[in-house]
Amino acid sequence: MAHVSGSPALDDMADITVHWLEKSRAQRLVWMLEECKARYNIKTYKRVNHKAPPEMREVHPLGKSPILTIQPPKQVRALVMAESGAIFEYLVDHYGPHLRPKRFQDGQESTLCGETESWLRYRYYMHYTEGSLMSLLMRIHTLEGAKGGNDSAELTLKHELSDVKIHLSFLESQLNSAPEAGLYLCGKDLTAADIMISFPLQVLQSTVGLEEYPGLRAYVARLTGRTSYKAAVEKAETASGERYGLV
Ligand SMILES: N[C@@H](CCC(=O)N[C@@H](CS)C(=O)NCC(=O)O)C(=O)O
């Protein structure tokens, strides 16, 4: 298990471990921890027949990547967390309030529909990424494997791929209309939602391609150009002893 140092100020607070499966969503969690300036370890796992190995189920019953364990000092039991969105929300609460937009417009605190556009987008994308976009990509992945002479799979695949175009056009227009003409999905500043969505966008870039979506292409380049993103890649490479590859 490689030990990765982050902010010295947080060093003594907790023992945080990312359970990192190769070529998985775990990479964006490493990036998230870098943006939070947290200190963490990376425990790497290799796929067995494309799946997560059984050892991951010893950490969390579902054994899906990523899992985050947090062992606070002087506490007997470690907190075991699964599901990227839930992990991200927890990290935002404790380490990264700067990665969540301000919730209410001035003077509208706690009022119905008083939320800022940035926050509404943030809430939406924290759910949309896994709920709508990743589930679509997973269906496509399964159908790609099933097609070969299977007419029904091929037809469904065609429909799902045309859905991808609808999603990409939507995301392109969302970027073009970001609050305060910002360069990130929720506005001027990077949020945890940008980190969440980076994974499916990178998958889409390397599969269907983003040639028709210049805004999205530039956005992905902006995300992956961040110092913290590059640091996360380097740390995962050091921990796994392998060159980082997503899909
Ligand atoms: N919605 C979950 C998805 C978790 C998930 O399916 N992870 C994949 C890796 S990207 C995995 O563990 N695959 C291996 C397997 O299913 O055995 C999350 O975001 O944490």
Side-chain angles (χ1 to χ4, degrees):
M1 180 158 62
H3 196 69
V4 183
S5 67
S7 160
L10 297 169
D11 276 357
D12 296 327
M13 290 176 64
D15 190 356
I16 300 178
T17 300
V18 181
H19 296 263
W20 183 99
L21 176 67
E22 63 179 339
K23 295 180 180 142
S24 82
R25 291 156 168 90
Q27 187 56 32
R28 69 181 167 195
L29 176 55
V30 179
W31 177 24
M32 174 70 182
L33 285 158
E34 286 292 320
E35 292 286 352
C36 289
K37 300 201 184 326
R39 184 178 161 89
Y40 56 95
N41 304 303
I42 301 176
K43 183 166 167 46
T44 62
Y45 299 81
K46 286 212 170 291
R47 288 181 184 259
V48 178
N49 296 328
H50 306 290
K51 301 292 283 178
E55 302 90 79
M56 287 195 75
R57 286 201 296 277
E58 288 165 19
V59 187
H60 183 279
L62 298 184
K64 300 286 180 194
S65 171
I67 305 168
L68 189 73
T69 50
I70 304 180
Q71 175 68 68
K74 300 186 198 120
Q75 284 194 26
V76 183
R77 279 197 311 150
L79 175 64
V80 178
M81 301 195 73
E83 200 58 56
S84 309
I87 297 172
F88 272 45
E89 292 280 6
Y90 191 84
L91 289 173
V92 166
D93 286 345
H94 288 275
Y95 293 97
H98 60 289
L99 296 169
R100 173 174 53 205
K102 176 173 161 308
R103 180 158 183 169
F104 289 104
Q105 300 169 52
D106 291 340
Q108 307 226 26
E109 286 71 20
S110 303
T111 60
L112 190 64
C113 303
E115 286 86 0
T116 63
E117 163 80 9
S118 294
W119 184 87
L120 288 167
R121 281 184 178 223
Y122 171 80
R123 170 65 59 93
Y124 175 75
Y125 286 109
M126 289 299 284
H127 289 265
Y128 164 88
T129 295
E130 285 297 316
S132 292
L133 191 54
M134 271 314 294
S135 59
L136 174 60
L137 300 194
M138 292 312 292
R139 286 198 300 280
I140 289 174
H141 181 68
T142 307
L143 290 164
E144 291 278 7
K147 60 179 191 192
N150 178 337
D151 288 350
S152 140
E154 290 202 13
L155 188 64
T156 315
L157 178 60
K158 217 172 119 200
H159 287 139
E160 301 287 30
L161 286 170
S162 72
D163 240 18
V164 165
K165 291 190 173 191
I166 295 172
H167 280 259
L168 289 174
S169 301
F170 164 65
L171 290 170
E172 178 88 1
S173 77
Q174 285 276 284
L175 272 174
N176 290 336
S177 60
E180 299 178 87
L183 295 174
Y184 295 98
L185 262 183
C186 306
K188 286 198 290 34
D189 301 314
L190 178 92
T191 70
D194 294 299
I195 303 175
M196 278 291 288
I197 207 168
S198 64
F199 180 78
L201 288 180
Q202 284 176 296
V203 171
L204 282 162
Q205 186 162 46
S206 63
T207 51
V208 300
L210 296 177
E211 286 74 21
E212 292 165 42
Y213 310 95
L216 281 173
R217 263 201 336 267
Y219 174 62
V220 173
R222 195 172 305 126
L223 297 179
T224 55
R226 289 180 72 90
T227 309
S228 53
Y229 177 88
K230 291 182 190 157
V233 170
E234 205 181 304
K235 285 173 185 174
E237 287 184 346
T238 306
S240 65
E242 279 170 25
R243 240 185 86 61
Y244 167 68
L246 250 183
V247 282

